Amino acid sequence: MKPIQIKICLKKTLFLIAVMTVAVLCIMDAACESTGNQRSQCAIEGSIQDAPGEAMRIAFGDALAGGCELQDAPVYITPNGKSKAVADYFQPARSRSNVIKSEPINCTQDSLGICKAHEMNLSGEGVSIALIDSEFYMDRLAEREMPRKMIKLYKASYSQAERHGTACAELIADIAPNVTLYLFGLEGAASEEDFLEVIQEISKLDRKIDIVSCSSDFDVGLFDGEDKICKAISNLTARGTIWINSAGSGGQSHWSGQFQDADEDDFNEFAVDDETIEFAAERGDLITATLSWNDSSSRAVNDFDLYIIAPDGSSAVSRYDQKGIYGQRPVEFAWKVANVNGNYSIKIKKYKSSGSNVTFQLLTSHDLGEHNVESCSLAIIASCPDVIAVGAVDWATMQIESFSPRGPTIDGRIKPDLVAPTNVTTSSYLPDMFNGTSSSAPYVAAMMALVMEKYGKSGMTDRDMLQLLLDNALDLGPPGVDNTYGYGLANVKFLNKL
């Protein structure tokens, strides 16, 4: 791709001083090849090779924060192959926040009713949201995208690549800029224990949290709503908090079934005479697979092993003990860095088990080439009874994404509860789009904040207000609540009618 020539027209002479500062910080090594006295031209006429996000964030962010406009904006190709004018990503800044707005805030269409809610002066004022995530790197432009009232309660520091939670916070700010946003960091590997620690921290705050927005989850547990994390969330929501969680990404990377071993060689049969699940991976990919089964959550007695096998015969094996000793869980976790391109396979082997009525839940990092089971593919937190699980629809088509998990839960409850947009623009991920149910959950959390702002003093309970959001969702699937779209597309068009 040829370099993109960027011309920024400055409206005010005084702003030239700021441009000189930007020129020094404009990622000269990556974006500008000029040296010496020519360096001052960087912010005026820079060249961004393939539109790298960091260069775009800094070069555009500082200029646009001063109220500039882009004229004769160039066109570049986004990762999905669609041409897009650079100016489409930006709007002249009216304040320090929301320099870049995501597509659902497009007031020409206003598909979710957000612009109309803003015209009613609804902005999330007086509502608190706890955002739980493990990545909160913020540069200067990202800081401008945040809600005006934000409390950072994480301890870790983050690299420039760790922007997932920052992007989620941006989307909340687009819809509810006046919420009070608490940022809680998952300091470990996003395990059940890490989430339990964060819930304790939320409970210790000197004010009630109205909404939790979480776009993280984990893939090992009971999946029936009886996991320890589900009970902790129920204790929190019993005090009025609404917990909104991304549904996960298991729609095409999940298998569920009972242990079968007709030939008695101890390997599970996924189909008749088929003891493997195959999937494609490229060299350098990190392949992960998690296996759970119905057993005592703390004293598992059925012992299985999990294999990832490469095309060249090399393998990774997970062999945790399950002997009925306290602390032993019905879980196996295997990982492998792909050493060659090709078809990899997964196998499950019985080490010691009666094998009767053992039902597996297998989730992998890669889409399965065979034996994929869409149903019951939600992650653990999304499966909890008192969690609003959010699936993902493509913003442009409003069709369900293939990766979006389907219900029901393994105990028969309908999930997900709602769907919301994905493939949206954030400053954090420019020039890429923010994709996954991770982007869908913060939209629902922010819309819930608008509902609470309007009806919070009406005498309605938090659950009553949540039910309003559910009942007014746009039904996108078969008539009624279903296991693909739930109640339907979350929106707040009803706020100007009720």
Side-chain angles (χ1 to χ4, degrees):
M1 185 180 292
K2 294 182 179 179
I4 298 170
Q5 299 299 319
I6 300 170
K7 296 183 179 181
I8 300 177
C9 179
L10 306 178
K11 286 185 175 180
K12 298 180 181 180
T13 303
L14 290 177
F15 192 69
L16 288 172
I17 299 173
V19 173
M20 297 298 290
T21 303
V22 176
V24 177
L25 300 173
C26 174
I27 343 183
M28 301 294 255
D29 294 335
C32 303
E33 298 179 357
S34 55
T35 58
N37 294 332
Q38 293 180 325
R39 281 186 177 270
S40 62
Q41 300 296 315
C42 177
I44 307 296
E45 207 167 298
S47 175
I48 299 181
Q49 299 286 347
D50 293 332
E54 189 66 19
M56 189 177 293
R57 274 189 291 274
I58 294 180
F60 286 138
D62 283 69
L64 291 171
C68 298
E69 298 176 349
L70 294 178
Q71 295 180 352
D72 301 322
V75 171
Y76 71 96
I77 304 301
T78 61
N80 61 14
K82 298 177 182 178
S83 63
K84 192 174 184 73
V86 174
D88 289 348
Y89 282 118
F90 302 97
Q91 298 182 3
R94 297 188 181 95
S95 66
R96 282 182 56 83
S97 63
N98 304 131
V99 176
I100 298 172
K101 292 182 180 290
S102 60
E103 286 76 359
I105 319 302
N106 182 335
C107 291
T108 302
Q109 297 177 334
D110 199 19
S111 301
L112 305 182
I114 294 166
C115 294
K116 189 66 176 180
H118 288 172
E119 291 175 6
M120 298 167 62
N121 292 320
L122 296 175
S123 61
E125 186 69 44
V127 180
S128 59
I129 297 179
L131 175 60
I132 303 174
D133 208 279
S134 57
E135 299 182 0
F136 286 116
Y137 176 82
M138 293 190 192
D139 55 24
R140 290 176 296 165
L141 181 54
E143 290 281 358
R144 296 187 181 101
E145 299 292 319
M146 296 299 105
R148 297 174 178 87
K149 292 170 283 189
M150 183 174 69
I151 299 96
K152 300 177 182 179
L153 296 176
Y154 52 82
K155 304 179 184 69
S157 57
Y158 303 99
S159 69
Q160 291 188 15
E162 296 176 309
R163 300 173 179 270
H164 183 270
T166 312
C168 292
E170 281 189 55
L171 299 182
I172 290 173
D174 277 352
I175 297 173
N178 286 335
V179 297
T180 301
L181 185 64
Y182 294 81
L183 305 183
F184 287 90
L186 294 166
E187 310 301 342
S191 65
E192 185 173 52
E193 290 71 24
D194 296 317
F195 282 100
L196 291 171
E197 288 181 11
V198 170
I199 291 174
Q200 285 185 340
E201 292 176 21
I202 292 174
S203 300
K204 292 177 182 177
L205 292 176
D206 58 2
R207 66 168 293 177
K208 189 197 91 174
I209 292 295
D210 297 307
I211 302 163
V212 169
S213 178
C214 182
S215 292
S216 299
D217 213 321
F218 53 98
D219 293 336
V220 291
L222 300 175
F223 292 91
D224 62 356
E226 294 298 320
D227 287 278
K228 188 185 299 184
I229 185 67
C230 294
K231 296 175 182 178
I233 290 173
S234 294
N235 289 337
L236 185 65
T237 58
R239 298 195 290 271
T241 298
I242 304 297
W243 188 297
I244 296 168
N245 218 94
S246 58
S249 57
Q252 296 297 310
S253 55
H254 168 259
W255 173 81
S256 178
Q258 286 192 327
F259 180 74
Q260 303 288 338
D261 184 21
D263 60 3
E264 298 183 349
D265 67 349
D266 293 333
F267 282 99
N268 180 66
E269 296 166 0
F270 298 97
V272 177
D273 297 327
D274 189 353
E275 297 178 343
T276 64
I277 291 181
E278 292 193 352
F279 59 93
E282 297 181 358
R283 183 183 179 187
D285 284 358
L286 175 60
I287 301 168
T288 63
T290 59
L291 182 70
S292 303
W293 58 92
N294 54 322
D295 204 333
S296 169
S297 60
S298 58
R299 294 181 182 271
V301 297
N302 295 292
D303 198 339
F304 295 91
D305 298 333
L306 179 64
Y307 292 73
I308 299 175
I309 304 171
D312 63 359
S314 61
S315 64
V317 186
S318 175
R319 293 191 178 105
Y320 296 141
D321 286 333
Q322 288 95 19
K323 300 178 180 178
I325 299 173
Y326 182 79
Q328 294 180 342
R329 303 178 64 194
V331 166
E332 297 291 341
F333 172 71
W335 65 274
K336 180 176 178 59
V337 176
N339 53 333
V340 294
N341 296 341
N343 288 329
Y344 287 70
S345 60
I346 290 174
K347 301 185 78 170
I348 300 170
K349 184 178 182 180
K350 179 180 70 175
Y351 179 75
K352 186 178 182 180
S353 171
S354 65
S356 60
N357 298 320
V358 174
T359 300
F360 297 112
Q361 299 293 328
L362 174 72
L363 284 156
T364 67
S365 56
H366 288 57
D367 288 355
L368 301 181
E370 57 180 351
H371 305 313
N372 182 69
V373 177
E374 286 188 341
S375 61
C376 306
S377 56
L378 288 89
I380 291 293
I381 295 178
S383 299
C384 293
D386 292 315
V387 165
I388 299 301
V390 184
V393 292
D394 179 75
W395 165 246
T397 67
M398 289 300 166
Q399 295 297 308
I400 197 72
E401 289 283 12
S402 61
F403 58 75
S404 189
R406 274 67 160 180
T409 60
I410 65 173
D411 58 321
R413 289 173 287 112
I414 291 180
K415 289 280 184 174
D417 300 282
L418 291 166
V419 293
T422 190
N423 297 322
V424 294
T425 303
T426 62
S427 71
S428 294
Y429 284 128
L430 275 175
D432 296 332
M433 309 301 277
F434 189 9
N435 192 22
T437 60
S438 288
S439 65
S440 305
Y443 278 128
V444 175
M447 285 188 274
M448 187 69 220
L450 300 185
V451 176
M452 285 185 163
E453 180 184 7
K454 179 170 182 180
Y455 298 112
K457 297 180 181 179
S458 68
M460 295 179 67
T461 67
D462 294 326
R463 301 302 296 187
D464 289 339
M465 289 183 278
L466 172 61
Q467 197 62 48
L468 269 180
L469 189 65
L470 295 172
D471 290 342
N472 285 279
L474 177 63
D475 194 351
L476 295 179
V481 185
D482 62 75
N483 284 307
T484 299
Y485 295 94
Y487 280 80
L489 178 68
N491 69 91
V492 289
K493 290 184 176 181
F494 63 93
L495 290 181
N496 68 328
K497 300 175 183 178
L498 298 179

